[in-house]
Amino acid sequence: MSDFNASLTTVLDKLQKGCWQEPLQNLANNFDHYPTPEFDIREELLSMLWGFTEAHEADPQIPLSTFVAIRLPKLTSWTLRATNIAGDQHKTWDPLSQPFIEFKDSSTHTTQATSAHPAEDIIKRWSRDNLK
């Protein structure tokens, strides 16, 4: 088991949210092979979740799914962009649904933006659908 998977298991056990393991692992895996190492979604996810443990210990009635739906779209990793350009067609990578390695081709251009992609409301919806 990788360090991320072990740490994820530990924090999710502490939060009693083991059902989040697979969706969060899959999400992190979608960022694998992205060429810019400045941001690591795995570190961001773990930091976010460990922050929730303190709040959860202080008040166990806090709905963690609400916290994660608010905080997840704010991660810096969502500002990473990848676009494939073929003629006049531009396709943008969606890290919620597609692994970067499957999206990448010889025309892929990567950059960083100032806003999240997908949009924050879409990330929140993903969170509410997958992290109950």
Side-chain angles (χ1 to χ4, degrees):
M1 185 182 300
S2 75
D3 289 343
F4 170 72
N5 293 345
S7 296
L8 185 61
T9 298
T10 300
V11 71
L12 292 178
D13 285 349
K14 191 167 182 81
L15 294 170
Q16 299 177 345
K17 289 292 185 180
C19 59
W20 291 5
Q21 182 94 22
E22 185 177 345
L24 290 175
Q25 281 178 319
N26 291 340
L27 177 62
N29 291 343
N30 285 350
F31 284 82
D32 284 352
H33 305 286
Y34 190 90
T36 307
E38 290 95 33
F39 305 110
D40 184 348
I41 194 160
R42 286 172 172 82
E43 289 177 13
E44 288 190 293
L45 288 171
L46 291 173
S47 177
M48 176 187 73
L49 293 169
W50 279 112
F52 293 159
T53 63
E54 295 170 14
H56 188 63
E57 286 172 359
D59 184 356
Q61 301 306 313
I62 294 173
L64 293 172
S65 57
T66 300
F67 270 150
V68 77
I70 292 168
R71 181 69 180 97
L72 185 66
K74 305 294 185 194
L75 299 182
T76 306
S77 293
W78 299 116
T79 64
L80 300 175
R81 298 282 195 282
T83 306
N84 289 344
I85 303 166
D88 61 351
Q89 298 289 326
H90 292 230
K91 289 191 231 171
T92 303
W93 172 53
D94 178 1
L96 285 175
S97 63
Q98 184 178 31
F100 178 75
I101 194 76
E102 290 177 10
F103 176 81
K104 184 182 180 202
D105 68 18
S106 61
S107 72
T108 301
H109 174 72
T110 59
T111 189
Q112 183 183 3
T114 57
S115 60
H117 176 77
E120 288 189 18
D121 61 325
I122 294 171
I123 299 167
K124 283 179 187 177
R125 186 176 333 122
W126 180 93
S127 176
R128 288 186 179 121
D129 290 347
N130 291 278
L131 305 175
K132 297 175 185 179

mmCIF file with all atom_site columns, all heavy atoms in Angstrom, residues 53-70:
data_model
loop_
_atom_site.group_PDB
_atom_site.id
_atom_site.type_symbol
_atom_site.label_atom_id
_atom_site.label_alt_id
_atom_site.label_comp_id
_atom_site.label_asym_id
_atom_site.label_entity_id
_atom_site.label_seq_id
_atom_site.pdbx_PDB_ins_code
_atom_site.Cartn_x
_atom_site.Cartn_y
_atom_site.Cartn_z
_atom_site.occupancy
_atom_site.B_iso_or_equiv
_atom_site.pdbx_formal_charge
_atom_site.auth_seq_id
_atom_site.auth_comp_id
_atom_site.auth_asym_id
_atom_site.auth_atom_id
_atom_site.pdbx_PDB_model_num
ATOM 1   N N   . THR A 1 53 ? -10.350 16.430 11.077 1.00 0.00 ? 53 THR A N   1
ATOM 2   C CA  . THR A 1 53 ? -10.352 15.600 12.285 1.00 0.00 ? 53 THR A CA  1
ATOM 3   C C   . THR A 1 53 ? -10.421 16.466 13.542 1.00 0.00 ? 53 THR A C   1
ATOM 4   O O   . THR A 1 53 ? -11.103 16.108 14.491 1.00 0.00 ? 53 THR A O   1
ATOM 5   C CB  . THR A 1 53 ? -9.121  14.664 12.376 1.00 0.00 ? 53 THR A CB  1
ATOM 6   O OG1 . THR A 1 53 ? -7.933  15.442 12.463 1.00 0.00 ? 53 THR A OG1 1
ATOM 7   C CG2 . THR A 1 53 ? -9.073  13.709 11.204 1.00 0.00 ? 53 THR A CG2 1
ATOM 8   N N   . GLU A 1 54 ? -9.726  17.601 13.529 1.00 0.00 ? 54 GLU A N   1
ATOM 9   C CA  . GLU A 1 54 ? -9.762  18.496 14.688 1.00 0.00 ? 54 GLU A CA  1
ATOM 10  C C   . GLU A 1 54 ? -11.167 19.040 14.903 1.00 0.00 ? 54 GLU A C   1
ATOM 11  O O   . GLU A 1 54 ? -11.679 19.067 16.019 1.00 0.00 ? 54 GLU A O   1
ATOM 12  C CB  . GLU A 1 54 ? -8.764  19.636 14.499 1.00 0.00 ? 54 GLU A CB  1
ATOM 13  C CG  . GLU A 1 54 ? -7.326  19.183 14.463 1.00 0.00 ? 54 GLU A CG  1
ATOM 14  C CD  . GLU A 1 54 ? -6.371  20.288 14.045 1.00 0.00 ? 54 GLU A CD  1
ATOM 15  O OE1 . GLU A 1 54 ? -6.775  21.472 14.029 1.00 0.00 ? 54 GLU A OE1 1
ATOM 16  O OE2 . GLU A 1 54 ? -5.219  19.961 13.737 1.00 0.00 ? 54 GLU A OE2 1
ATOM 17  N N   . ALA A 1 55 ? -11.796 19.485 13.829 1.00 0.00 ? 55 ALA A N   1
ATOM 18  C CA  . ALA A 1 55 ? -13.161 20.014 13.931 1.00 0.00 ? 55 ALA A CA  1
ATOM 19  C C   . ALA A 1 55 ? -14.129 18.923 14.373 1.00 0.00 ? 55 ALA A C   1
ATOM 20  O O   . ALA A 1 55 ? -15.018 19.163 15.186 1.00 0.00 ? 55 ALA A O   1
ATOM 21  C CB  . ALA A 1 55 ? -13.586 20.601 12.593 1.00 0.00 ? 55 ALA A CB  1
ATOM 22  N N   . HIS A 1 56 ? -13.917 17.720 13.852 1.00 0.00 ? 56 HIS A N   1
ATOM 23  C CA  . HIS A 1 56 ? -14.805 16.601 14.177 1.00 0.00 ? 56 HIS A CA  1
ATOM 24  C C   . HIS A 1 56 ? -14.657 16.190 15.646 1.00 0.00 ? 56 HIS A C   1
ATOM 25  O O   . HIS A 1 56 ? -15.642 15.837 16.300 1.00 0.00 ? 56 HIS A O   1
ATOM 26  C CB  . HIS A 1 56 ? -14.510 15.424 13.243 1.00 0.00 ? 56 HIS A CB  1
ATOM 27  C CG  . HIS A 1 56 ? -15.486 14.300 13.353 1.00 0.00 ? 56 HIS A CG  1
ATOM 28  N ND1 . HIS A 1 56 ? -16.814 14.432 13.050 1.00 0.00 ? 56 HIS A ND1 1
ATOM 29  C CD2 . HIS A 1 56 ? -15.326 13.018 13.755 1.00 0.00 ? 56 HIS A CD2 1
ATOM 30  C CE1 . HIS A 1 56 ? -17.430 13.281 13.247 1.00 0.00 ? 56 HIS A CE1 1
ATOM 31  N NE2 . HIS A 1 56 ? -16.549 12.408 13.679 1.00 0.00 ? 56 HIS A NE2 1
ATOM 32  N N   . GLU A 1 57 ? -13.431 16.242 16.168 1.00 0.00 ? 57 GLU A N   1
ATOM 33  C CA  . GLU A 1 57 ? -13.217 15.920 17.582 1.00 0.00 ? 57 GLU A CA  1
ATOM 34  C C   . GLU A 1 57 ? -13.874 16.963 18.476 1.00 0.00 ? 57 GLU A C   1
ATOM 35  O O   . GLU A 1 57 ? -14.431 16.632 19.527 1.00 0.00 ? 57 GLU A O   1
ATOM 36  C CB  . GLU A 1 57 ? -11.719 15.814 17.886 1.00 0.00 ? 57 GLU A CB  1
ATOM 37  C CG  . GLU A 1 57 ? -11.101 14.549 17.342 1.00 0.00 ? 57 GLU A CG  1
ATOM 38  C CD  . GLU A 1 57 ? -9.579  14.521 17.453 1.00 0.00 ? 57 GLU A CD  1
ATOM 39  O OE1 . GLU A 1 57 ? -8.981  15.505 17.933 1.00 0.00 ? 57 GLU A OE1 1
ATOM 40  O OE2 . GLU A 1 57 ? -8.994  13.505 17.049 1.00 0.00 ? 57 GLU A OE2 1
ATOM 41  N N   . ALA A 1 58 ? -13.821 18.222 18.054 1.00 0.00 ? 58 ALA A N   1
ATOM 42  C CA  . ALA A 1 58 ? -14.426 19.290 18.844 1.00 0.00 ? 58 ALA A CA  1
ATOM 43  C C   . ALA A 1 58 ? -15.949 19.190 18.840 1.00 0.00 ? 58 ALA A C   1
ATOM 44  O O   . ALA A 1 58 ? -16.598 19.481 19.847 1.00 0.00 ? 58 ALA A O   1
ATOM 45  C CB  . ALA A 1 58 ? -13.980 20.650 18.318 1.00 0.00 ? 58 ALA A CB  1
ATOM 46  N N   . ASP A 1 59 ? -16.517 18.804 17.698 1.00 0.00 ? 59 ASP A N   1
ATOM 47  C CA  . ASP A 1 59 ? -17.969 18.663 17.591 1.00 0.00 ? 59 ASP A CA  1
ATOM 48  C C   . ASP A 1 59 ? -18.287 17.515 16.642 1.00 0.00 ? 59 ASP A C   1
ATOM 49  O O   . ASP A 1 59 ? -18.362 17.709 15.429 1.00 0.00 ? 59 ASP A O   1
ATOM 50  C CB  . ASP A 1 59 ? -18.596 19.964 17.089 1.00 0.00 ? 59 ASP A CB  1
ATOM 51  C CG  . ASP A 1 59 ? -20.112 19.904 17.049 1.00 0.00 ? 59 ASP A CG  1
ATOM 52  O OD1 . ASP A 1 59 ? -20.701 18.838 17.339 1.00 0.00 ? 59 ASP A OD1 1
ATOM 53  O OD2 . ASP A 1 59 ? -20.719 20.935 16.731 1.00 0.00 ? 59 ASP A OD2 1
ATOM 54  N N   . PRO A 1 60 ? -18.486 16.305 17.172 1.00 0.00 ? 60 PRO A N   1
ATOM 55  C CA  . PRO A 1 60 ? -18.732 15.133 16.329 1.00 0.00 ? 60 PRO A CA  1
ATOM 56  C C   . PRO A 1 60 ? -20.014 15.216 15.507 1.00 0.00 ? 60 PRO A C   1
ATOM 57  O O   . PRO A 1 60 ? -20.218 14.437 14.595 1.00 0.00 ? 60 PRO A O   1
ATOM 58  C CB  . PRO A 1 60 ? -18.817 13.974 17.330 1.00 0.00 ? 60 PRO A CB  1
ATOM 59  C CG  . PRO A 1 60 ? -18.218 14.478 18.583 1.00 0.00 ? 60 PRO A CG  1
ATOM 60  C CD  . PRO A 1 60 ? -18.383 15.956 18.583 1.00 0.00 ? 60 PRO A CD  1
ATOM 61  N N   . GLN A 1 61 ? -20.875 16.175 15.798 1.00 0.00 ? 61 GLN A N   1
ATOM 62  C CA  . GLN A 1 61 ? -22.121 16.319 15.044 1.00 0.00 ? 61 GLN A CA  1
ATOM 63  C C   . GLN A 1 61 ? -21.942 17.113 13.754 1.00 0.00 ? 61 GLN A C   1
ATOM 64  O O   . GLN A 1 61 ? -22.867 17.223 12.958 1.00 0.00 ? 61 GLN A O   1
ATOM 65  C CB  . GLN A 1 61 ? -23.184 16.999 15.920 1.00 0.00 ? 61 GLN A CB  1
ATOM 66  C CG  . GLN A 1 61 ? -23.494 16.235 17.197 1.00 0.00 ? 61 GLN A CG  1
ATOM 67  C CD  . GLN A 1 61 ? -23.886 14.785 16.940 1.00 0.00 ? 61 GLN A CD  1
ATOM 68  O OE1 . GLN A 1 61 ? -24.704 14.503 16.084 1.00 0.00 ? 61 GLN A OE1 1
ATOM 69  N NE2 . GLN A 1 61 ? -23.264 13.859 17.660 1.00 0.00 ? 61 GLN A NE2 1
ATOM 70  N N   . ILE A 1 62 ? -20.755 17.663 13.541 1.00 0.00 ? 62 ILE A N   1
ATOM 71  C CA  . ILE A 1 62 ? -20.501 18.445 12.331 1.00 0.00 ? 62 ILE A CA  1
ATOM 72  C C   . ILE A 1 62 ? -20.631 17.540 11.111 1.00 0.00 ? 62 ILE A C   1
ATOM 73  O O   . ILE A 1 62 ? -20.015 16.473 11.057 1.00 0.00 ? 62 ILE A O   1
ATOM 74  C CB  . ILE A 1 62 ? -19.083 19.070 12.369 1.00 0.00 ? 62 ILE A CB  1
ATOM 75  C CG1 . ILE A 1 62 ? -18.993 20.103 13.488 1.00 0.00 ? 62 ILE A CG1 1
ATOM 76  C CG2 . ILE A 1 62 ? -18.730 19.695 11.027 1.00 0.00 ? 62 ILE A CG2 1
ATOM 77  C CD1 . ILE A 1 62 ? -17.594 20.641 13.698 1.00 0.00 ? 62 ILE A CD1 1
ATOM 78  N N   . PRO A 1 63 ? -21.436 17.937 10.127 1.00 0.00 ? 63 PRO A N   1
ATOM 79  C CA  . PRO A 1 63 ? -21.567 17.116 8.911  1.00 0.00 ? 63 PRO A CA  1
ATOM 80  C C   . PRO A 1 63 ? -20.319 17.239 8.026  1.00 0.00 ? 63 PRO A C   1
ATOM 81  O O   . PRO A 1 63 ? -20.113 18.258 7.368  1.00 0.00 ? 63 PRO A O   1
ATOM 82  C CB  . PRO A 1 63 ? -22.810 17.681 8.223  1.00 0.00 ? 63 PRO A CB  1
ATOM 83  C CG  . PRO A 1 63 ? -22.944 19.071 8.744  1.00 0.00 ? 63 PRO A CG  1
ATOM 84  C CD  . PRO A 1 63 ? -22.310 19.096 10.113 1.00 0.00 ? 63 PRO A CD  1
ATOM 85  N N   . LEU A 1 64 ? -19.481 16.224 8.060  1.00 0.00 ? 64 LEU A N   1
ATOM 86  C CA  . LEU A 1 64 ? -18.221 16.264 7.313  1.00 0.00 ? 64 LEU A CA  1
ATOM 87  C C   . LEU A 1 64 ? -18.441 16.400 5.810  1.00 0.00 ? 64 LEU A C   1
ATOM 88  O O   . LEU A 1 64 ? -17.639 17.020 5.113  1.00 0.00 ? 64 LEU A O   1
ATOM 89  C CB  . LEU A 1 64 ? -17.394 15.021 7.624  1.00 0.00 ? 64 LEU A CB  1
ATOM 90  C CG  . LEU A 1 64 ? -16.877 14.946 9.053  1.00 0.00 ? 64 LEU A CG  1
ATOM 91  C CD1 . LEU A 1 64 ? -16.235 13.595 9.314  1.00 0.00 ? 64 LEU A CD1 1
ATOM 92  C CD2 . LEU A 1 64 ? -15.900 16.069 9.335  1.00 0.00 ? 64 LEU A CD2 1
ATOM 93  N N   . SER A 1 65 ? -19.520 15.833 5.293  1.00 0.00 ? 65 SER A N   1
ATOM 94  C CA  . SER A 1 65 ? -19.774 15.936 3.851  1.00 0.00 ? 65 SER A CA  1
ATOM 95  C C   . SER A 1 65 ? -19.983 17.392 3.445  1.00 0.00 ? 65 SER A C   1
ATOM 96  O O   . SER A 1 65 ? -19.597 17.792 2.345  1.00 0.00 ? 65 SER A O   1
ATOM 97  C CB  . SER A 1 65 ? -20.968 15.075 3.447  1.00 0.00 ? 65 SER A CB  1
ATOM 98  O OG  . SER A 1 65 ? -22.111 15.440 4.186  1.00 0.00 ? 65 SER A OG  1
ATOM 99  N N   . THR A 1 66 ? -20.544 18.208 4.332  1.00 0.00 ? 66 THR A N   1
ATOM 100 C CA  . THR A 1 66 ? -20.707 19.636 4.041  1.00 0.00 ? 66 THR A CA  1
ATOM 101 C C   . THR A 1 66 ? -19.353 20.328 4.040  1.00 0.00 ? 66 THR A C   1
ATOM 102 O O   . THR A 1 66 ? -19.059 21.125 3.153  1.00 0.00 ? 66 THR A O   1
ATOM 103 C CB  . THR A 1 66 ? -21.643 20.288 5.079  1.00 0.00 ? 66 THR A CB  1
ATOM 104 O OG1 . THR A 1 66 ? -22.912 19.643 5.004  1.00 0.00 ? 66 THR A OG1 1
ATOM 105 C CG2 . THR A 1 66 ? -21.808 21.775 4.818  1.00 0.00 ? 66 THR A CG2 1
ATOM 106 N N   . PHE A 1 67 ? -18.518 20.024 5.051  1.00 0.00 ? 67 PHE A N   1
ATOM 107 C CA  . PHE A 1 67 ? -17.175 20.596 5.101  1.00 0.00 ? 67 PHE A CA  1
ATOM 108 C C   . PHE A 1 67 ? -16.382 20.284 3.837  1.00 0.00 ? 67 PHE A C   1
ATOM 109 O O   . PHE A 1 67 ? -15.745 21.153 3.255  1.00 0.00 ? 67 PHE A O   1
ATOM 110 C CB  . PHE A 1 67 ? -16.391 20.057 6.299  1.00 0.00 ? 67 PHE A CB  1
ATOM 111 C CG  . PHE A 1 67 ? -16.529 20.858 7.549  1.00 0.00 ? 67 PHE A CG  1
ATOM 112 C CD1 . PHE A 1 67 ? -16.426 20.230 8.775  1.00 0.00 ? 67 PHE A CD1 1
ATOM 113 C CD2 . PHE A 1 67 ? -16.746 22.216 7.531  1.00 0.00 ? 67 PHE A CD2 1
ATOM 114 C CE1 . PHE A 1 67 ? -16.536 20.941 9.947  1.00 0.00 ? 67 PHE A CE1 1
ATOM 115 C CE2 . PHE A 1 67 ? -16.865 22.945 8.698  1.00 0.00 ? 67 PHE A CE2 1
ATOM 116 C CZ  . PHE A 1 67 ? -16.763 22.296 9.924  1.00 0.00 ? 67 PHE A CZ  1
ATOM 117 N N   . VAL A 1 68 ? -16.402 19.027 3.427  1.00 0.00 ? 68 VAL A N   1
ATOM 118 C CA  . VAL A 1 68 ? -15.594 18.637 2.273  1.00 0.00 ? 68 VAL A CA  1
ATOM 119 C C   . VAL A 1 68 ? -16.147 19.274 0.992  1.00 0.00 ? 68 VAL A C   1
ATOM 120 O O   . VAL A 1 68 ? -15.379 19.672 0.116  1.00 0.00 ? 68 VAL A O   1
ATOM 121 C CB  . VAL A 1 68 ? -15.440 17.106 2.156  1.00 0.00 ? 68 VAL A CB  1
ATOM 122 C CG1 . VAL A 1 68 ? -16.663 16.430 1.621  1.00 0.00 ? 68 VAL A CG1 1
ATOM 123 C CG2 . VAL A 1 68 ? -14.223 16.740 1.315  1.00 0.00 ? 68 VAL A CG2 1
ATOM 124 N N   . ALA A 1 69 ? -17.448 19.415 0.889  1.00 0.00 ? 69 ALA A N   1
ATOM 125 C CA  . ALA A 1 69 ? -18.033 20.048 -0.301 1.00 0.00 ? 69 ALA A CA  1
ATOM 126 C C   . ALA A 1 69 ? -17.634 21.516 -0.391 1.00 0.00 ? 69 ALA A C   1
ATOM 127 O O   . ALA A 1 69 ? -17.488 22.053 -1.493 1.00 0.00 ? 69 ALA A O   1
ATOM 128 C CB  . ALA A 1 69 ? -19.554 19.911 -0.279 1.00 0.00 ? 69 ALA A CB  1
ATOM 129 N N   . ILE A 1 70 ? -17.413 22.150 0.750  1.00 0.00 ? 70 ILE A N   1
ATOM 130 C CA  . ILE A 1 70 ? -16.980 23.552 0.757  1.00 0.00 ? 70 ILE A CA  1
ATOM 131 C C   . ILE A 1 70 ? -15.484 23.664 0.502  1.00 0.00 ? 70 ILE A C   1
ATOM 132 O O   . ILE A 1 70 ? -15.030 24.507 -0.268 1.00 0.00 ? 70 ILE A O   1
ATOM 133 C CB  . ILE A 1 70 ? -17.338 24.212 2.110  1.00 0.00 ? 70 ILE A CB  1
ATOM 134 C CG1 . ILE A 1 70 ? -18.857 24.332 2.230  1.00 0.00 ? 70 ILE A CG1 1
ATOM 135 C CG2 . ILE A 1 70 ? -16.665 25.563 2.262  1.00 0.00 ? 70 ILE A CG2 1
ATOM 136 C CD1 . ILE A 1 70 ? -19.337 24.689 3.627  1.00 0.00 ? 70 ILE A CD1 1
#
